[in-house]
Amino acid sequence: MAMNDRLRDRDAQQREHADPEESIRPIPLLAVGVTLAMVVFGVFYIFLSEPLDHSQLGDQRTVADLSGPARSAAGAAVDGKALFAAQCAACHQANGKGLPGVFPPLDGSEWVTGDTRVLANILLHGINGEITVAGTKYQGAMPAFAQLSDAELAGVASYIRSSWSNQAEAVEAGLFERERTATADRKTPFEGEAALHALTQE
C-alpha cells in the first residue's frame, strides 16, 4: 500500500511543471552606447552654448527687440518704407497695386502724386465712401493716421510719391504740421472724393 502511495506521489510530481524563473537579459551594448553618447553630447552642448541673459525670452531677444520701432524723435530721419510696410502694405500691398475692387492702388494714383495738401489730409483724417483712382471707382474706408508724427507722415507720403512708377517730389513735415492745425476741428473722415476736391477750392 505504501509502495503504491509513493508511486502515485512520484507520478503526480512528474506531471508538475517546473516553476518559471526570470532569466537575466542584459541591455544590448548598442543601446548603452547610444545612451551614453546622447548624455555626453548634452553635457558638451550645455557648456558650449551661449548663456541666456534673458531666460524668460527663450530666444535671447531683448526687451528692446520686442518693443518694435521707437517713435522718431524730432529731427530724426524717418524710414518711410518701413512705416509703409507696417501701416499700409496690408491693404495697398508692398507693390503699391492694392487689391482690385477692394483697395485702390497707390502706384499711379493721382491722389498720391497730385496735390500734397489733399494727400496730407487723407493721411491725417482718412476717407469714407466713393473715390475714383486711376479710372476705377472704389467704395470703402481708409482709417486716419493722425497718431503718427508729422515727420512719420511726411516719410510715408514721400515714400509712396517716389516709389514704383511714381516720380513725385518729397513732402516736408511742415505740411502736415500746418494741415493738422488748420483742420483740428475735424473729427471724422472725409466723405468721398467730392470732399477731397473741395480742399483744392479753399
Side-chain angles (χ1 to χ4, degrees):
M1 185 68 176
M3 178 64 71
N4 291 335
D5 291 338
R6 285 198 297 270
L7 291 174
R8 188 168 51 251
D9 291 341
R10 188 189 64 185
D11 292 340
Q13 290 176 357
Q14 290 178 346
R15 287 195 300 270
E16 292 291 332
H17 296 289
D19 291 336
E21 295 181 2
E22 183 176 354
S23 60
I24 299 176
R25 302 182 62 186
I27 300 175
L29 293 178
L30 178 61
V32 173
V34 171
T35 303
L36 288 176
M38 292 176 64
V39 171
V40 172
F41 172 78
V43 171
F44 274 99
Y45 180 81
I46 291 172
F47 280 103
L48 296 177
S49 296
E50 295 181 6
L52 293 175
D53 294 332
H54 300 277
S55 58
Q56 72 274 18
L57 301 180
D59 58 4
Q60 301 187 48
R61 287 179 294 178
T62 65
V63 174
D65 293 333
L66 299 173
S67 299
R71 290 184 63 85
S72 300
V78 173
D79 188 344
K81 182 177 181 179
L83 282 169
F84 174 82
Q87 304 287 341
C88 315
C91 295
H92 296 291
Q93 305 303 299
N95 59 8
K97 298 297 185 183
L99 292 177
V102 182
F103 300 115
L106 301 180
D107 183 15
S109 168
E110 61 270 37
W111 300 100
V112 172
T113 58
D115 192 325
T116 56
R117 183 166 173 256
V118 172
L119 176 60
N121 276 275
I122 292 174
L123 290 172
L124 282 169
H125 303 292
I127 179 173
N128 287 335
E130 186 178 275
I131 185 171
T132 302
V133 181
T136 302
K137 291 186 181 298
Y138 293 86
Q139 183 76 32
M142 175 180 159
F145 290 95
Q147 73 276 11
L148 298 180
S149 70
D150 296 331
E152 288 172 326
L153 289 171
V156 172
S158 297
Y159 171 72
I160 64 177
R161 283 171 60 83
S162 61
S163 296
W164 314 299
S165 67
N166 298 339
Q167 300 295 321
E169 70 278 2
V171 179
E172 297 294 328
L175 170 66
F176 288 90
E177 181 181 8
R178 292 191 298 273
E179 292 303 317
R180 195 189 294 269
T181 300
T183 59
D185 293 336
R186 175 174 283 279
K187 305 300 180 186
T188 60
F190 287 93
E191 293 296 330
E193 61 184 78
L196 295 175
H197 283 305
L199 285 173
T200 61
Q201 308 302 320
E202 296 178 3

